[in-house]
Amino acid sequence: MEELLDQILNECRPYTKQGAVATYIPELSKQNPDDFGIYIISSDGSRFSAGDHAKHFTIQSVVKPVLLLLALMDNGVEAVRTRIGVEATGKPFDAINVSDKSLVPEHFNPMVNAGAILLCTMLKGDSYSERFARLLELIRRLADNPEIDVDEAVFRSERETGFKNRALAYLLKAHGLFKDAVEDVLECYFRACSIRVCSRDLAYIGMALANHGRKFKTEERFFPAEYARFVNAVLMICGMYDGSGEFAVRVGVPAKSGVGGGIMAVAPTRMGIGIYSPALDEKGNSIAGIQALERLSRRMYLSIF
Ligand code: GLN
């Protein structure tokens, strides 16, 4: 298996040259576009890795499925559905919908920024720092890694330059989609995006979703199976933003990308996969990461379709 992973990385490495690291968050521009790593954990507990799998990067949008999970754990499916939609956006992750008609809860998919900002307002906690602390705690538990923490430099960089996210949050607030102070909500969102992980951590989180909420090889349950089905379905529809249809055809598993270069993929009942390769395509998805997943899916018959 590790031989297969090495081979896949070698085949896909040239694609890193066709992409570029994100620069709109200044701190992310310091990433090395040549980094490329993969980590897999399968349902029998075996683990495989190749390349720069131990390198750290910020989780960015890969936090969105965990935000959704915590919102579900805190409120249940019905309450979450009154505040957020599940339809595909077909739009980039930071799109601003300007028609008043579309500024209603059912038009905000939780896998794009506007929806994820809304998710922060659904978490339980007396303060936004408590809400964030609960999110971090859940990530540490799912990834089985108590050392996961925030990359403060990336967090500051996002907070200082996140004007578009600020605009989105004000638009949501202006239309009555939440009541709390915008800066408090954004503090939680920016911190969530700035959590430092490695491919292994993403593979573990993916495995919890692949295993329908159970910790692999144990009886321990992180969350109900119903929430895994909810999150995986939303990932399938919108996890790769406006590249989700293409990804469904080429790879065929629920997955989430982030502009930090991470991809978490979920092969239901079979494996969790974490990839890091920060050279992105024009949609903000890891270009070599998608190539690697396509090859892995073909060779291991991972597509759910
Ligand atoms: N923190 C990033 C942002 O809000 C997350 C976007 C992403 O990873 N696609 O712009």
Side-chain angles (χ1 to χ4, degrees):
M1 180 74 174
E2 294 210 318
E3 227 169 88
L4 171 66
L5 294 185
D6 276 331
Q7 192 189 334
I8 288 177
L9 289 198
N10 286 336
E11 279 172 29
C12 299
R13 214 174 284 283
Y15 287 96
T16 60
K17 303 284 176 231
Q18 292 176 22
V21 298
T23 52
Y24 78 102
I25 299 169
E27 198 63 25
L28 293 185
S29 65
K30 296 179 183 166
Q31 296 186 110
N32 179 356
D34 299 333
D35 282 348
F36 197 9
I38 184 165
Y39 194 105
I40 293 180
I41 173 154
S42 65
S43 47
D44 64 2
S46 38
R47 288 148 230 191
F48 310 97
S49 57
D52 303 306
H53 64 90
K55 284 234 170 141
H56 286 94
F57 53 94
T58 50
I59 192 166
Q60 297 298 336
S61 282
V62 187
V63 79
K64 287 169 177 153
V66 191
L67 270 170
L68 176 59
L69 203 51
L70 188 54
L72 288 166
M73 291 162 81
D74 281 353
N75 307 279
V77 171
E78 266 177 50
V80 167
R81 287 303 310 274
T82 63
R83 304 269 323 268
I84 206 138
V86 293
E87 298 305 331
T89 66
K91 293 203 165 84
F93 64 84
D94 57 350
I96 295 188
N97 275 332
V98 281
S99 114
D100 275 5
K101 221 174 132 207
S102 61
L103 279 157
V104 288
E106 56 265 38
H107 286 168
F108 291 102
N109 187 295
M111 294 305 126
V112 295
N113 292 11
I117 292 168
L118 270 180
L119 286 175
C120 294
T121 71
M122 293 177 219
L123 307 184
K124 287 209 171 118
D126 288 339
S127 62
Y128 271 86
S129 50
E130 190 185 329
R131 292 174 198 228
F132 173 72
R134 292 183 60 249
L135 175 74
L136 183 60
E137 191 45 44
L138 177 61
I139 289 186
R140 286 175 175 163
R141 274 205 308 129
L142 296 177
D144 200 17
N145 180 359
E147 283 171 12
I148 294 177
D149 221 327
V150 170
D151 182 323
E152 291 292 333
V154 172
F155 165 64
R156 281 194 300 273
S157 191
E158 294 220 26
R159 193 176 48 185
E160 278 158 25
T161 60
F163 305 117
K164 202 158 183 192
N165 285 321
R166 226 162 243 120
L168 275 170
Y170 276 106
L171 201 56
L172 296 170
K173 179 155 166 142
H175 280 76
L177 289 152
F178 70 86
K179 293 199 167 54
D180 299 336
V182 164
E183 283 306 321
D184 289 350
V185 178
L186 285 175
E187 169 102 6
C188 178
Y189 173 73
F190 290 141
R191 273 197 181 279
C193 293
S194 307
I195 292 171
R196 273 174 97 235
V197 289
C198 60
S199 308
R200 176 210 160 278
D201 299 327
L202 297 189
Y204 270 65
I205 299 170
M207 189 60 217
L209 286 164
N211 217 12
H212 299 122
R214 259 184 301 110
K215 188 171 184 173
F216 67 96
K217 288 186 82 185
T218 71
E219 289 306 304
E220 192 185 336
R221 185 167 274 291
F222 295 122
F223 50 86
E226 184 189 8
Y227 300 166
R229 284 195 294 273
F230 191 115
V231 173
N232 290 341
V234 173
L235 287 179
M236 199 72 244
I237 285 157
C238 206
M240 308 299 279
Y241 317 115
D242 45 340
S244 298
E246 179 85 21
F247 188 83
V249 169
R250 283 169 52 191
V251 186
V253 296
K256 185 75 204 81
S257 61
V259 292
I263 302 181
M264 174 193 76
V266 179
T269 72
R270 291 185 60 189
M271 58 179 75
I273 305 164
I275 294 197
Y276 174 51
S277 172
L280 308 178
D281 63 19
E282 72 290 345
K283 296 182 173 173
N285 295 325
S286 169
I287 190 163
I290 292 182
Q291 290 289 339
L293 281 171
E294 184 175 7
R295 282 167 175 73
L296 192 67
S297 176
R298 253 199 247 132
R299 290 187 208 171
M300 302 201 65
Y301 303 97
L302 296 183
S303 174
I304 62 171
F305 297 107

